Amino acid sequence: SEKMMIFYAECARAKRAVEKAISACSVGSQDILNWHYVKQLTVVETKLHINHHLGHSTFKNADEVACLEFAEACDRISMQMNCNLEILPLFLNFDDNDEKAGTKREQNGNKIGTK
């Protein structure tokens, strides 16, 4: 039962990290993350709730921005809160292979800001 209590505490910490990461995102991204991913509404239902935040951008672009904002914030916050990586893994991975690929992309004139 001690292992279960420890696991429960680690899961609760990971849940708090996810909630903090969502709240660290922009308002439009928070809406997409909460309606589409937390409440699991369809894209059409989500659009009805967030249409006023999208402006001229499409839902797909706004969704990609929301996911990137969340990934960056979640990685930072989960590391600060010392979350178990088996429960809440890191979303962004920058290793040597990515740096080499990034250099190659820049040489081709096809810069990509973040992964």
Side-chain angles (χ1 to χ4, degrees), residues 4-72:
M4 287 303 293
M5 289 177 61
I6 292 170
F7 183 71
Y8 176 80
E10 289 175 345
C11 289
R13 187 179 319 133
K15 182 180 183 284
R16 283 193 307 274
V18 167
E19 290 168 347
K20 283 185 177 186
I22 290 173
S23 67
C25 296
S26 65
V27 174
S29 293
Q30 286 181 36
D31 285 345
I32 290 173
L33 294 168
N34 281 318
W35 290 108
H36 188 57
Y37 295 102
V38 176
K39 295 180 181 178
Q40 298 182 346
L41 296 182
T42 65
V43 171
V44 173
E45 293 169 331
T46 302
K47 281 182 173 181
L48 293 174
H49 289 284
I50 62 161
N51 197 23
H52 60 282
H53 291 296
L54 288 179
H56 295 294
S57 65
T58 64
F59 179 81
K60 181 182 176 190
N61 291 339
D63 184 48
E64 288 176 4
V65 168
C67 289
L68 278 173
E69 284 183 24
F70 173 76
E72 291 174 3

